[in-house]
PDB file of all heavy atoms in Angstrom:
ATOM      1  N   SER V 652     -17.039  13.791 -15.996  1.00 98.00           N
ATOM      2  CA  SER V 652     -18.183  14.331 -16.727  1.00 98.00           C
ATOM      3  C   SER V 652     -19.287  13.297 -16.605  1.00 98.00           C
ATOM      4  O   SER V 652     -19.080  12.150 -17.008  1.00 98.00           O
ATOM      5  CB  SER V 652     -17.829  14.574 -18.193  1.00 98.00           C
ATOM      6  OG  SER V 652     -19.019  14.775 -18.943  1.00 98.00           O
ATOM      7  N   GLU V 653     -20.402  13.691 -16.017  1.00 98.00           N
ATOM      8  CA  GLU V 653     -21.391  12.666 -15.722  1.00 98.00           C
ATOM      9  C   GLU V 653     -22.799  13.069 -16.155  1.00 98.00           C
ATOM     10  O   GLU V 653     -23.128  14.260 -16.221  1.00 98.00           O
ATOM     11  CB  GLU V 653     -21.358  12.340 -14.221  1.00 98.00           C
ATOM     12  CG  GLU V 653     -21.810  13.445 -13.299  1.00 98.00           C
ATOM     13  CD  GLU V 653     -23.317  13.449 -13.082  1.00 98.00           C
ATOM     14  OE1 GLU V 653     -23.880  12.354 -12.916  1.00 98.00           O
ATOM     15  OE2 GLU V 653     -23.910  14.544 -13.086  1.00 98.00           O
ATOM     16  N   ASP V 654     -23.602  12.064 -16.440  1.00 97.00           N
ATOM     17  CA  ASP V 654     -24.995  12.269 -16.836  1.00 97.00           C
ATOM     18  C   ASP V 654     -25.859  11.396 -15.937  1.00 97.00           C
ATOM     19  O   ASP V 654     -25.891  10.182 -16.111  1.00 97.00           O
ATOM     20  CB  ASP V 654     -25.168  11.881 -18.307  1.00 97.00           C
ATOM     21  CG  ASP V 654     -26.570  12.211 -18.820  1.00 97.00           C
ATOM     22  OD1 ASP V 654     -27.485  12.448 -18.002  1.00 97.00           O
ATOM     23  OD2 ASP V 654     -26.737  12.233 -20.048  1.00 97.00           O
ATOM     24  N   CYS V 655     -26.506  12.007 -14.980  1.00 96.00           N
ATOM     25  CA  CYS V 655     -27.432  11.246 -14.143  1.00 96.00           C
ATOM     26  C   CYS V 655     -28.839  11.798 -14.277  1.00 96.00           C
ATOM     27  O   CYS V 655     -29.641  11.747 -13.364  1.00 96.00           O
ATOM     28  CB  CYS V 655     -26.990  11.222 -12.674  1.00 96.00           C
ATOM     29  SG  CYS V 655     -27.066  12.823 -11.852  1.00 96.00           S
ATOM     30  N   GLY V 656     -29.122  12.338 -15.468  1.00 95.00           N
ATOM     31  CA  GLY V 656     -30.468  12.843 -15.699  1.00 95.00           C
ATOM     32  C   GLY V 656     -30.721  14.099 -14.879  1.00 95.00           C
ATOM     33  O   GLY V 656     -29.802  14.839 -14.544  1.00 95.00           O
ATOM     34  N   ARG V 657     -31.988  14.314 -14.563  1.00 95.00           N
ATOM     35  CA  ARG V 657     -32.348  15.496 -13.781  1.00 95.00           C
ATOM     36  C   ARG V 657     -31.786  15.341 -12.373  1.00 95.00           C
ATOM     37  O   ARG V 657     -31.954  14.301 -11.744  1.00 95.00           O
ATOM     38  CB  ARG V 657     -33.891  15.593 -13.734  1.00 95.00           C
ATOM     39  CG  ARG V 657     -34.431  16.762 -12.936  1.00 95.00           C
ATOM     40  CD  ARG V 657     -34.658  17.965 -13.837  1.00 95.00           C
ATOM     41  NE  ARG V 657     -35.426  17.597 -15.034  1.00 95.00           N
ATOM     42  CZ  ARG V 657     -36.743  17.653 -15.128  1.00 95.00           C
ATOM     43  NH1 ARG V 657     -37.454  18.063 -14.100  1.00 95.00           N
ATOM     44  NH2 ARG V 657     -37.335  17.315 -16.246  1.00 95.00           N
ATOM     45  N   MET V 658     -31.098  16.355 -11.899  1.00 96.00           N
ATOM     46  CA  MET V 658     -30.543  16.280 -10.541  1.00 96.00           C
ATOM     47  C   MET V 658     -31.517  16.921  -9.559  1.00 96.00           C
ATOM     48  O   MET V 658     -31.949  18.049  -9.777  1.00 96.00           O
ATOM     49  CB  MET V 658     -29.204  17.012 -10.486  1.00 96.00           C
ATOM     50  CG  MET V 658     -28.096  16.318 -11.269  1.00 96.00           C
ATOM     51  SD  MET V 658     -26.497  17.118 -10.997  1.00 96.00           S
ATOM     52  CE  MET V 658     -26.630  18.535 -12.076  1.00 96.00           C
ATOM     53  N   ILE V 659     -31.813  16.207  -8.517  1.00 97.00           N
ATOM     54  CA  ILE V 659     -32.673  16.785  -7.475  1.00 97.00           C
ATOM     55  C   ILE V 659     -31.888  17.857  -6.722  1.00 97.00           C
ATOM     56  O   ILE V 659     -32.360  18.972  -6.494  1.00 97.00           O
ATOM     57  CB  ILE V 659     -33.142  15.707  -6.478  1.00 97.00           C
ATOM     58  CG1 ILE V 659     -33.909  14.590  -7.194  1.00 97.00           C
ATOM     59  CG2 ILE V 659     -33.995  16.339  -5.375  1.00 97.00           C
ATOM     60  CD1 ILE V 659     -34.144  13.361  -6.344  1.00 97.00           C
ATOM     61  N   ASN V 660     -30.663  17.500  -6.327  1.00 97.00           N
ATOM     62  CA  ASN V 660     -29.837  18.400  -5.528  1.00 97.00           C
ATOM     63  C   ASN V 660     -28.402  18.263  -6.023  1.00 97.00           C
ATOM     64  O   ASN V 660     -27.711  17.304  -5.686  1.00 97.00           O
ATOM     65  CB  ASN V 660     -29.958  18.022  -4.044  1.00 97.00           C
ATOM     66  CG  ASN V 660     -29.241  18.990  -3.114  1.00 97.00           C
ATOM     67  OD1 ASN V 660     -28.123  19.421  -3.392  1.00 97.00           O
ATOM     68  ND2 ASN V 660     -29.876  19.312  -2.008  1.00 97.00           N
ATOM     69  N   PRO V 661     -27.955  19.191  -6.890  1.00 97.00           N
ATOM     70  CA  PRO V 661     -26.629  19.053  -7.494  1.00 97.00           C
ATOM     71  C   PRO V 661     -25.504  18.922  -6.469  1.00 97.00           C
ATOM     72  O   PRO V 661     -24.546  18.180  -6.699  1.00 97.00           O
ATOM     73  CB  PRO V 661     -26.478  20.344  -8.312  1.00 97.00           C
ATOM     74  CG  PRO V 661     -27.891  20.764  -8.607  1.00 97.00           C
ATOM     75  CD  PRO V 661     -28.686  20.361  -7.401  1.00 97.00           C
ATOM     76  N   GLY V 662     -25.617  19.598  -5.340  1.00 98.00           N
ATOM     77  CA  GLY V 662     -24.582  19.480  -4.304  1.00 98.00           C
ATOM     78  C   GLY V 662     -24.489  18.061  -3.786  1.00 98.00           C
ATOM     79  O   GLY V 662     -23.398  17.522  -3.568  1.00 98.00           O
ATOM     80  N   VAL V 663     -25.637  17.443  -3.594  1.00 98.00           N
ATOM     81  CA  VAL V 663     -25.674  16.059  -3.125  1.00 98.00           C
ATOM     82  C   VAL V 663     -25.075  15.128  -4.179  1.00 98.00           C
ATOM     83  O   VAL V 663     -24.292  14.228  -3.866  1.00 98.00           O
ATOM     84  CB  VAL V 663     -27.118  15.641  -2.773  1.00 98.00           C
ATOM     85  CG1 VAL V 663     -27.235  14.138  -2.577  1.00 98.00           C
ATOM     86  CG2 VAL V 663     -27.581  16.372  -1.506  1.00 98.00           C
ATOM     87  N   VAL V 664     -25.437  15.343  -5.440  1.00 98.00           N
ATOM     88  CA  VAL V 664     -24.883  14.515  -6.527  1.00 98.00           C
ATOM     89  C   VAL V 664     -23.362  14.623  -6.540  1.00 98.00           C
ATOM     90  O   VAL V 664     -22.656  13.618  -6.581  1.00 98.00           O
ATOM     91  CB  VAL V 664     -25.460  14.957  -7.891  1.00 98.00           C
ATOM     92  CG1 VAL V 664     -24.677  14.323  -9.043  1.00 98.00           C
ATOM     93  CG2 VAL V 664     -26.935  14.575  -7.995  1.00 98.00           C
ATOM     94  N   GLU V 665     -22.867  15.841  -6.477  1.00 98.00           N
ATOM     95  CA  GLU V 665     -21.408  16.013  -6.520  1.00 98.00           C
ATOM     96  C   GLU V 665     -20.752  15.378  -5.312  1.00 98.00           C
ATOM     97  O   GLU V 665     -19.692  14.738  -5.421  1.00 98.00           O
ATOM     98  CB  GLU V 665     -21.057  17.501  -6.624  1.00 98.00           C
ATOM     99  CG  GLU V 665     -21.524  18.071  -7.959  1.00 98.00           C
ATOM    100  CD  GLU V 665     -20.845  19.368  -8.328  1.00 98.00           C
ATOM    101  OE1 GLU V 665     -20.208  19.997  -7.457  1.00 98.00           O
ATOM    102  OE2 GLU V 665     -20.957  19.761  -9.507  1.00 98.00           O
ATOM    103  N   GLY V 666     -21.384  15.518  -4.159  1.00 98.00           N
ATOM    104  CA  GLY V 666     -20.842  14.896  -2.956  1.00 98.00           C
ATOM    105  C   GLY V 666     -20.725  13.383  -3.096  1.00 98.00           C
ATOM    106  O   GLY V 666     -19.743  12.779  -2.679  1.00 98.00           O
ATOM    107  N   GLN V 667     -21.722  12.771  -3.703  1.00 98.00           N
ATOM    108  CA  GLN V 667     -21.686  11.319  -3.908  1.00 98.00           C
ATOM    109  C   GLN V 667     -20.552  10.933  -4.867  1.00 98.00           C
ATOM    110  O   GLN V 667     -19.859   9.936  -4.669  1.00 98.00           O
ATOM    111  CB  GLN V 667     -23.023  10.835  -4.480  1.00 98.00           C
ATOM    112  CG  GLN V 667     -24.170  10.858  -3.476  1.00 98.00           C
ATOM    113  CD  GLN V 667     -24.011   9.772  -2.433  1.00 98.00           C
ATOM    114  OE1 GLN V 667     -23.934   8.588  -2.749  1.00 98.00           O
ATOM    115  NE2 GLN V 667     -23.933  10.158  -1.172  1.00 98.00           N
ATOM    116  N   ILE V 668     -20.371  11.739  -5.901  1.00 98.00           N
ATOM    117  CA  ILE V 668     -19.288  11.454  -6.850  1.00 98.00           C
ATOM    118  C   ILE V 668     -17.936  11.584  -6.154  1.00 98.00           C
ATOM    119  O   ILE V 668     -17.074  10.722  -6.271  1.00 98.00           O
ATOM    120  CB  ILE V 668     -19.353  12.407  -8.062  1.00 98.00           C
ATOM    121  CG1 ILE V 668     -20.631  12.160  -8.856  1.00 98.00           C
ATOM    122  CG2 ILE V 668     -18.129  12.226  -8.957  1.00 98.00           C
ATOM    123  CD1 ILE V 668     -20.891  13.195  -9.951  1.00 98.00           C
ATOM    124  N   PHE V 669     -17.776  12.677  -5.405  1.00 98.00           N
ATOM    125  CA  PHE V 669     -16.503  12.906  -4.706  1.00 98.00           C
ATOM    126  C   PHE V 669     -16.134  11.718  -3.833  1.00 98.00           C
ATOM    127  O   PHE V 669     -15.011  11.223  -3.845  1.00 98.00           O
ATOM    128  CB  PHE V 669     -16.591  14.138  -3.807  1.00 98.00           C
ATOM    129  CG  PHE V 669     -16.742  15.453  -4.520  1.00 98.00           C
ATOM    130  CD1 PHE V 669     -17.449  16.490  -3.933  1.00 98.00           C
ATOM    131  CD2 PHE V 669     -16.159  15.673  -5.768  1.00 98.00           C
ATOM    132  CE1 PHE V 669     -17.595  17.717  -4.569  1.00 98.00           C
ATOM    133  CE2 PHE V 669     -16.291  16.909  -6.405  1.00 98.00           C
ATOM    134  CZ  PHE V 669     -17.023  17.934  -5.793  1.00 98.00           C
ATOM    135  N   GLY V 670     -17.099  11.265  -3.038  1.00 98.00           N
ATOM    136  CA  GLY V 670     -16.816  10.186  -2.094  1.00 98.00           C
ATOM    137  C   GLY V 670     -16.432   8.904  -2.818  1.00 98.00           C
ATOM    138  O   GLY V 670     -15.474   8.231  -2.447  1.00 98.00           O
TER     139      GLY V 670
END
Side-chain angles (χ1 to χ4, degrees):
Chain V
S652 166
E653 67 87 42
D654 186 344
C655 67
R657 179 92 50 91
M658 291 187 281
I659 302 168
N660 186 317
V663 168
V664 168
E665 294 199 346
Q667 288 288 302
I668 295 171
F669 293 149

